[in-house]
Amino acid sequence: VSFSVYEIHNIALQFSLGFNSLPNPKIAMKLASLDSVTNAHDDSIWSAAWVRSTEEYPALLLTGGLDETVRLWDPSNFTCVQTFTGHCLGVVSVATHPTRRIAASASIDSFIRVFEVDTNNTIATLEAPPSEVWQLQFSPNGSNLAATGGGSSSVKLWDTTQWELVTTMSIPRQGAPQPSDKSTNKKFVLSVAWSPDGRLLACGSVDGTISVFDVARAKFLHFLDGHTMPVRSLVFSPSLHDSRILFSASDDGHVHMYDAEGKTLLTSLSGHASWVLSVDISPDGAAIATGSSDKTVRLWDLKMRAATQTLTNHTDQVWAVAFGPTSRADVRSCMLASVSDDKSLSFYQYS
């Protein structure tokens, strides 16, 4: 019996808000392809996250793949500078701390490995039941918290100073399951995202719902409805002014933009020919990029609320897209990275 990597991914799983209606015709955003690294991993690549730059250190990129490794990339010359091992099954999520010093990788081997970026020294190893942790994200506001989602119909908050569990925020049921519903857990959390001020935490589930929590009170607020299939990726607007704006990517082929605090679906974007597996927003908040199982990366202008560019660098499903930090030379410019089942890593210049 043979399975597609998308099926393997799902088998592993079973174990008034700041947007104008018209664009400025003098401003055009674009992605320019820089380079693609073929065989960047030995198997499918499922995740990517940027290590932010500092005065002393340049920005770097982390990728995690089905080959059980996490790799560190120098985008200035598109080379791998380090390969991190330690997992015995595929890596489904990588995340970096705002301080740049530490990163974490989550694997379907039921472990999260927390390590120092520069030395690869292990800081902590968190163990969970099979498929208990599918994604980890660090709080962006320096609160020393990290959030994890997975198979327990909940989101867990961790203290990143001692790596102790702070609290578990459960997702309530929306009603009794239908008689034909044989799934044991329709609230498996595939994606988590923090608002830029750290007040809100959103998580996307297999059943298509998005749950929103008040972090300070560790309290469930409400569901965001609209998707009909798994929500694999979430990202908030980076602007504190628009910190309640949330974008979601789903297997139903749509990208939604919500007012996460006001429970409002602001718009639905469509155009991909298949599942939308990843979404990220540019540092200037003007565009989003999406990756899809239709093998394309798309750039969307948020003022136009439409896709303005489709890139076909990959030959298989695009599992992750990630915008890097802004360029020191031009704050309107940054890099975008995309990773795929075809084992390749592509870099683009956004401007």
Side-chain angles (χ1 to χ4, degrees):
V1 178
S2 62
F3 297 95
S4 69
V5 176
Y6 179 80
E7 290 170 320
I8 294 173
H9 198 275
N10 285 329
I11 291 170
L13 172 61
Q14 294 167 11
F15 279 97
S16 78
L17 294 168
F19 293 93
N20 298 320
S21 59
L22 294 175
N24 184 338
K26 296 181 180 180
I27 299 175
M29 59 189 64
K30 65 178 180 178
L31 288 174
S33 294
L34 295 175
D35 199 3
S36 290
V37 182
T38 57
N39 296 316
H41 280 249
D42 297 330
D43 211 325
S44 300
I45 311 174
W46 282 355
S47 55
W50 286 87
V51 180
R52 74 175 186 88
S53 60
T54 65
E55 290 296 326
E56 297 81 15
Y57 300 100
L60 300 170
L61 181 75
L62 281 177
T63 57
L66 190 59
D67 61 0
E68 305 168 6
T69 70
V70 174
R71 303 194 181 193
L72 186 65
W73 300 86
D74 182 349
S76 66
N77 54 20
F78 314 114
T79 58
C80 178
V81 296
Q82 197 162 359
T83 298
F84 305 140
T85 59
H87 291 292
C88 61
L89 287 173
V91 176
V92 295
S93 173
V94 290
T96 59
H97 194 273
T99 61
R100 188 197 186 278
R101 186 179 70 87
I102 65 173
S105 56
S107 167
I108 52 181
D109 63 9
S110 304
F111 289 94
I112 293 177
R113 180 173 179 264
V114 185
F115 57 94
E116 293 181 339
V117 172
D118 295 322
T119 65
N120 192 31
N121 291 334
T122 299
I123 296 173
T125 301
L126 311 180
E127 184 176 4
S131 296
E132 182 70 17
V133 174
W134 193 257
Q135 191 174 81
L136 178 145
Q137 292 292 343
F138 292 98
S139 171
N141 67 345
S143 63
N144 293 322
L145 290 175
T148 59
S152 63
S153 296
S154 66
V155 177
K156 291 178 168 58
L157 292 181
W158 300 81
D159 176 352
T160 61
T161 57
Q162 301 295 325
W163 284 104
E164 296 176 343
L165 184 64
V166 175
T167 188
T168 298
M169 301 186 295
S170 298
I171 302 172
R173 297 177 63 187
Q174 289 178 291
Q178 299 296 320
S180 61
D181 184 5
K182 298 180 181 180
S183 174
T184 58
N185 192 348
K186 300 296 288 184
K187 295 298 182 187
F188 192 112
V189 176
L190 284 168
S191 51
V192 293
W194 293 84
S195 63
D197 54 12
R199 292 187 309 110
L200 301 178
L201 188 69
C203 65
S205 300
V206 165
D207 66 353
T209 59
I210 299 170
S211 306
V212 181
F213 294 89
D214 180 316
V215 176
R217 295 185 292 165
K219 180 183 178 182
F220 171 82
L221 296 178
H222 48 252
F223 291 110
L224 300 176
D225 297 320
H227 288 299
T228 58
M229 295 178 69
V231 178
R232 295 190 183 268
S233 183
L234 294 168
V235 65
F236 276 91
S237 169
S239 168
L240 291 176
H241 175 68
D242 296 324
S243 63
R244 57 199 287 174
I245 301 296
L246 176 72
F247 297 88
S248 58
S250 170
D251 284 11
D252 61 19
H254 297 284
V255 177
H256 285 174
M257 181 171 72
Y258 294 95
D259 172 0
E261 202 161 5
K263 295 178 61 177
T264 306
L265 175 60
L266 300 176
T267 193
S268 178
L269 306 174
S270 60
H272 279 293
S274 189
W275 310 293
V276 188
L277 303 175
S278 180
V279 60
D280 199 18
I281 188 166
S282 61
D284 60 10
I288 58 172
T290 53
S292 169
S293 58
D294 68 7
K295 308 175 187 178
T296 69
V297 172
R298 292 196 177 209
L299 182 69
W300 306 77
D301 186 313
L302 293 179
K303 290 184 178 180
M304 297 176 63
R305 301 191 181 186
T308 59
Q309 203 171 355
T310 301
L311 295 106
T312 56
N313 293 37
H314 295 290
T315 60
D316 211 331
Q317 299 174 128
V318 181
W319 278 109
V321 290
F323 279 103
T326 56
S327 167
R328 294 182 182 179
D330 183 0
V331 295
R332 299 169 300 176
S333 177
C334 69
M335 277 192 185
L336 176 77
S338 62
V339 296
S340 168
D341 273 344
D342 64 11
K343 310 178 192 178
S344 75
L345 163 63
S346 287
F347 290 95
Y348 317 82
Q349 190 72 36
Y350 165 79
S351 59

